[in-house]
Amino acid sequence: DAEGLLRIKEENQKHYRRAQRHQEKKEKIQRHNRKLGDLVEKKAYDLKTQYEHLANLRRTHILELTSVIFPIEEVKTSMRDPADVSSESDNAMTSSTVSKLAEARRTTYLSGRWVCDDHNGDTSISITGPWITLPNNGDYSAYYNWVEEKKTTQGPDMEHNNPAYTISAALCYATQLVNTLSLILDVNLPKKLCNRQFCGENLSRHRFTRAVKKLNANILHLCFSQHVNLDLLHPLHTLRNLMYLVSPDTKNLGR
């Protein structure tokens, strides 16, 4: 029993010395982990600083781009409410007729259904100049209606103020701006749309509406990536969504 007790004591001493070595290794590993943690924290702070610096650079480039080359602004239209005009011409008009005319003014027939648009007839959004605008309600039927009329009309087109020209020009500039913003922001767009999509040949109604849907999808994707307030966005308001995206009030622009 004494010899067995001695062997057990020797084994316990070996285990104790091994436990001490393991404790030293544990403390060494903990010190190493603390150093790595401090280094990771410093690197994370440096990365965050670089992201903020990059965001400021992107924001500066975007604001410069949209102020010099692609200015987007809201243009007031001097259209009078038809209800007011009609009431002036007929003093005996009832209040119900006036309200119906006002309601009709705020309603637009779009893609086979009637939609309500509070901005209809009041303002429009321009790009690169006040003369190139898009309808607020997203109704671009003037373009493909003009294309269908061109198919049946012979001879050169002398109507330079046709709204179809304005719509195609505004959509072309919007496409160029969106593609440039995707490069600056380093955001991949969900839909592929070339800059010349709305230029050159006259697009059919199907191809035109398909291209407009792609453009609107790309704009909304950029707005989502920059955390634009969702309450301001509308899936059909092409230039208005773009205006909210590049607005100086967008706090997360460049993220």
Side-chain angles (χ1 to χ4, degrees):
D1 292 339
E3 291 176 355
L5 180 62
L6 183 61
R7 286 196 303 271
I8 293 174
K9 287 182 178 180
E10 291 177 352
E11 290 179 358
N12 287 341
Q13 290 179 355
K14 291 181 181 179
H15 290 313
Y16 178 75
R17 287 192 297 268
R18 183 180 299 176
Q20 285 183 330
R21 291 196 300 269
H22 286 211
Q23 182 66 25
E24 293 175 356
K25 288 182 180 181
K26 176 184 175 182
E27 294 175 354
K28 184 178 180 181
I29 292 174
Q30 289 178 345
R31 289 193 299 270
H32 181 68
N33 288 340
R34 284 194 294 269
K35 290 181 180 179
L36 288 180
D38 295 339
L39 181 62
V40 169
E41 185 177 357
K42 182 177 181 301
K43 293 292 184 180
Y45 177 78
D46 294 341
L47 181 62
K48 181 180 178 181
T49 304
Q50 291 296 327
Y51 276 147
E52 294 176 353
H53 179 64
L54 179 60
N56 291 330
L57 285 178
R58 288 171 172 171
R59 183 183 182 89
T60 302
H61 291 325
I62 291 174
L63 295 180
E64 183 179 3
L65 176 69
T66 54
S67 63
V68 178
I69 302 178
F70 295 101
I72 302 177
E73 57 185 1
E74 195 169 7
V75 179
K76 296 289 183 179
T77 56
S78 58
M79 295 179 61
R80 301 183 63 188
D81 196 317
D84 299 335
V85 178
S86 302
S87 61
E88 291 177 0
S89 61
D90 187 5
N91 295 328
M93 177 176 291
T94 62
S95 59
S96 61
T97 307
V98 174
S99 62
K100 289 179 181 179
L101 285 174
E103 182 182 358
R105 175 176 170 269
R106 293 189 298 269
T107 309
T108 304
Y109 188 75
L110 179 60
S111 299
R113 61 189 181 93
W114 292 97
V115 295
C116 181
D117 183 18
D118 293 334
H119 300 287
N120 186 19
D122 293 334
T123 60
S124 59
I125 308 300
S126 66
I127 183 171
T128 70
W131 53 89
I132 302 179
T133 60
L134 282 181
N136 279 302
N137 55 8
D139 182 12
Y140 307 143
S141 58
Y143 178 86
Y144 42 79
N145 289 339
W146 171 76
V147 172
E148 293 176 357
E149 291 177 0
K150 284 284 292 179
K151 293 179 180 179
T152 59
T153 304
Q154 301 296 330
D157 183 15
M158 302 302 294
E159 190 178 353
H160 298 290
N161 294 327
N162 194 303
Y165 294 132
T166 303
I167 291 175
S168 61
L171 292 175
C172 178
Y173 288 137
T175 304
Q176 295 180 26
L177 177 57
V178 168
N179 290 336
T180 306
L181 291 177
S182 68
L183 295 176
I184 296 177
L185 296 173
D186 194 22
V187 176
N188 294 326
L189 298 176
K191 305 294 183 181
K192 184 178 181 181
L193 198 64
C194 62
N195 292 338
R196 64 180 185 275
Q197 183 67 44
F198 297 98
C199 300
E201 62 175 332
N202 299 326
L203 301 176
S204 63
R205 178 169 183 170
H206 174 72
R207 293 180 59 190
F208 179 81
T209 54
R210 183 180 179 185
V212 170
K213 288 180 180 179
K214 287 183 178 181
L215 177 59
N216 288 334
N218 289 340
I219 293 175
L220 290 176
H221 182 74
L222 288 178
C223 291
F224 298 154
S225 70
Q226 303 306 302
H227 291 177
V228 179
N229 187 3
L230 299 181
D231 296 333
L232 301 175
L233 302 178
H234 191 283
L236 299 179
H237 296 173
T238 306
L239 288 185
R240 186 174 291 275
N241 294 340
L242 203 52
M243 182 181 67
Y244 289 138
L245 171 64
V246 299
S247 173
D249 298 332
T250 305
K251 299 179 180 179
N252 295 306
L253 182 60
R255 64 180 294 274

